[in-house]
Amino acid sequence: MIDIKLLRQSPQIFIEALEKRNANTELVDKIIELDKEWRKLTTELNNLKAERNSLSKLVAKAKAEKNEELAREIIEKSKKIGEKIKEIETVQQDIESKMKDIALNIPNIPHESVPVGSDETENIEIRRWGEPRKFDFEPKAHWDLGPDLGLMDFERAAKLSGSRFTVMYGYLAKLERALIQFMLDVHTKENGYTEVWVPHLVKRETMTWTGQLPKFEEEAYNIKKDDLFLIPTAEVPLAALHAGETLNEKELPKKYTAYTPCYRREAGSYGKDVRGVIRQHQFDKVELVWITTPERSFDDLEKLTQDAEKILQLLELPYRVVSLCTGDLGFAAAKTYDIEVWLPSYNAYKEISSCSNDTDFQARRANIRYRGKDNKLHYVHTLNGSGLAIGRTLVAIMENYQNPDGSITIPRVLVPYMGVERIP
RNA sequence: GGAGAGGUGGCCGAGUGGUCGAAGGCGCUUGCCUGCUAAGCAAGUGUGGGGGUUACCCCACCGAGGGUUCGAAUCCCUCCCUCUCCGCCA
């Protein structure tokens, strides 16, 4: 959520932000106009209420003095004010809800360090790690490798659930589990995260707090009967964990990690990544979330990103890090690094993690604050990143570690988790 | 699912129609006092919003939203949440 005071004071900041994002700037003008009217009515209301309050006190006094006639007189006067208040309140509430609707649909302001650009082609590569393997045979894509091994089954998945679902057997199923375990172990033992186990169904409010709603309702699976949503990422329950709370600066930053499945309708992505397990309605992910302070949040984003990169380094998978340009930035993010892993089937780097600083955007919506050294209340900054997407990691291992005979070598660090050195 | 109890400030806890934003206690901050610490004494100590050049003034908030009333923490309705008992259940 945007800061209405800042918007009043310098609407230009928001207009520029929306322009950089290729978003509609009309919203800003509209909300400013509504705000003007709102303040006018608010002042009027405050004055009327003040008058009513003082009259009420006079009534109490008159009654105490047994002066019934005077009391009745004042009550009459007060009644009229009450009617007027009700009238204005109706108008004010209407304006208020309109303002809120707009405010909830205005995205976060991009950080000054974010490259300006219109779409993903203008993202900036920050660094590369590792060298894509040169194959002396024709490498298979995972959507061939998996079924050829008899360990990945798209047909039966489609029978059960439709498109964009996968069934895995044996060592591939185990590899999925091993990756979850491995990543959680690294983050908790080496990177200092607290493991959290969270609900996978959350309330409409919760989705609104973190920015998924109201704008992206089409993307979410909703259980109508109870109006609960299947989480599209563990970021939702993790970032909303402290909603409504006042934290102590001493306990910040809080670093949380959680494994959850993620559920996404992928409504706008027909024809995109249709083969294999790259884009699924259900996928596993180990998520990283920081609750931190404004002073350090951008430094923390660097650390969070490195925590995610570490997984790829340990798995010895080549990757690069790109800084998303303003046009490619997510709704809640002020800055985002995508980590892209090398996929032979795409002959390209493909997103495997997205690490964002949402600054105070979610904190405002969810009302998460901390008491600072100045003894005042401030909004926290929230950061989130995949550490990593499990399915895509599994695919990257399959494709990058495949052998000419169609077997797959298990990365060294995973051998203890798998109990074998290769599949099959 | 059935029956009941309850949600008040950082915490505990009083308050059933009129100076209640809310007694009292704990905690916290500052000052005094004191070899140090503790105790003691005094003062202060919520959040959000509107207005004013400052001093400051005003409004709202007692789980949420409506309603009754001149006036609601207090009465009524709806919802949410917590707890206890019963039923069911992994």
Side-chain angles (χ1 to χ4, degrees):
Chain A
M1 177 105 81
I2 53 153
D3 180 354
I4 184 77
K5 277 186 180 167
L6 182 63
L7 186 124
R8 254 175 220 149
Q9 210 183 313
S10 25
Q12 205 49 38
I13 292 175
F14 290 86
I15 290 171
E16 276 166 28
L18 287 169
E19 275 170 356
K20 280 192 208 164
R21 279 176 173 271
N22 291 329
N24 196 347
T25 57
E26 265 175 39
L27 293 178
V28 174
D29 301 328
K30 233 179 225 166
I31 206 166
I32 284 172
E33 203 178 298
L34 288 169
D35 181 58
K36 257 184 208 155
E37 185 63 17
W38 180 86
R39 278 191 295 172
K40 197 186 116 198
L41 294 176
T42 300
T43 304
E44 213 172 310
L45 270 178
N46 280 349
N47 292 338
L48 287 171
K49 282 181 181 171
E51 199 177 340
R52 183 179 67 183
N53 286 347
S54 59
L55 287 179
S56 279
K57 279 172 196 165
L58 291 180
V59 172
K61 208 173 176 187
K63 287 212 168 170
E65 288 165 2
K66 304 259 184 236
N67 193 340
E68 289 298 329
E69 198 179 322
L70 179 63
R72 218 171 313 123
E73 222 170 90
I74 302 167
I75 285 170
E76 271 315 301
K77 212 169 162 189
S78 184
K79 220 171 181 170
K80 281 196 187 108
I81 294 173
E83 281 159 17
K84 182 98 186 159
I85 287 174
K86 208 164 266 180
E87 211 174 286
I88 298 174
E89 248 170 7
T90 312
V91 181
Q92 190 212 31
Q93 275 167 14
D94 181 55
I95 290 174
E96 222 168 71
S97 78
K98 276 183 188 150
M99 281 172 68
K100 201 173 175 196
D101 282 350
I102 295 173
L104 284 174
N105 281 292
I106 295 179
N108 202 353
I109 301 168
H111 189 245
E112 58 196 16
S113 66
V114 173
V116 178
S118 53
D119 57 44
E120 72 270 11
T121 61
E122 295 183 72
N123 294 343
I124 305 287
E125 183 174 308
I126 303 294
R127 59 182 168 270
R128 283 185 189 216
W129 186 93
E131 273 292 317
R133 175 178 163 194
K134 302 270 190 297
F135 288 92
D136 48 16
F137 60 95
E138 189 58 39
K140 288 189 195 172
H142 71 274
W143 53 79
D144 292 324
L145 257 176
D148 288 353
L149 284 165
L151 300 181
M152 203 174 249
D153 188 342
F154 298 109
E155 280 84 10
R156 291 200 181 91
K159 177 174 71 184
L160 296 174
S161 307
S163 65
R164 295 204 192 280
F165 287 93
T166 306
V167 169
M168 292 192 289
Y169 308 99
Y171 277 121
L172 277 190
K174 188 172 184 180
L175 181 55
E176 180 90 5
R177 177 159 56 92
L179 282 168
I180 295 165
Q181 189 85 343
F182 166 68
M183 290 184 198
L184 285 173
D185 280 348
V186 172
H187 293 313
T188 55
K189 290 178 188 165
E190 296 176 30
N191 294 338
Y193 288 80
T194 303
E195 185 172 347
V196 190
W197 188 88
V198 293
H200 301 169
L201 287 166
V202 296
K203 296 191 276 188
R204 179 172 287 275
E205 284 173 274
T206 311
M207 291 281 277
T208 308
W209 291 337
T210 48
Q212 271 72 26
L213 295 179
K215 212 175 169 189
F216 305 103
E217 181 143 11
E218 273 305 291
E219 263 304 297
Y221 285 106
N222 175 231
I223 313 291
K224 277 199 190 70
K225 204 165 180 184
D226 300 296
D227 202 27
L228 290 171
F229 291 81
L230 277 162
I231 54 170
T233 160
E235 172 201 339
V236 173
L238 286 180
L241 200 58
H242 295 288
E245 296 181 21
T246 300
L247 304 170
N248 198 316
E249 182 163 9
K250 276 179 241 152
E251 48 185 337
L252 298 178
K254 285 181 178 288
K255 297 165 67 176
Y256 292 130
T257 184
Y259 152 72
T260 69
C262 304
Y263 303 94
R264 300 183 182 180
R265 292 190 65 237
E266 296 295 344
S269 62
Y270 306 111
K272 221 173 171 185
D273 306 312
V274 286
R275 305 199 70 183
V277 306
I278 293 299
R279 193 171 297 273
Q280 302 275 288
H281 290 307
Q282 172 193 326
F283 65 95
D284 286 334
K285 184 154 60 71
V286 167
E287 182 75 1
L288 306 174
V289 164
W290 289 50
I291 315 279
T292 188
T293 60
E295 292 76 36
R296 50 178 293 169
S297 68
F298 283 95
D299 292 334
D300 288 343
L301 177 63
E302 302 297 324
K303 290 186 201 137
L304 182 148
T305 307
Q306 282 159 25
D307 291 339
E309 283 175 64
K310 186 170 179 180
I311 299 291
L312 289 172
Q313 290 171 11
L314 289 167
L315 292 171
E316 298 176 79
L317 289 167
Y319 67 88
R320 64 171 193 163
V321 177
V322 301
S323 180
L324 297 194
C325 74
T326 51
D328 202 25
L329 217 50
F331 181 68
K335 180 171 188 170
T336 298
Y337 291 120
D338 271 7
I339 304 173
E340 301 179 339
V341 71
W342 179 259
L343 281 190
S345 58
Y346 278 72
N347 195 36
Y349 288 97
K350 186 79 185 164
E351 178 187 338
I352 196 167
S353 170
S354 193
C355 303
S356 301
N357 183 356
D358 291 345
T359 59
D360 61 0
F361 190 80
Q362 293 178 322
R364 281 179 193 286
R365 290 175 165 241
N367 194 27
I368 312 168
R369 297 176 299 175
Y370 71 96
R371 198 168 289 280
K373 291 187 199 82
D374 56 1
N375 211 29
K376 285 194 178 130
L377 291 172
H378 308 276
Y379 287 109
V380 299
H381 277 196
T382 55
L383 282 66
N384 65 82
S386 350
L388 311 157
I390 304 292
R392 291 190 182 182
T393 309
L394 178 133
V395 158
I397 290 169
M398 287 175 74
E399 294 191 0
N400 285 291
Y401 278 85
Q402 63 181 293
N403 303 310
D405 62 356
S407 67
I408 298 155
T409 301
I410 299 298
R412 254 197 350 263
V413 290
L414 289 181
V415 171
Y417 292 90
M418 287 293 287
V420 293
E421 290 181 2
R422 55 192 283 150
I423 302 174

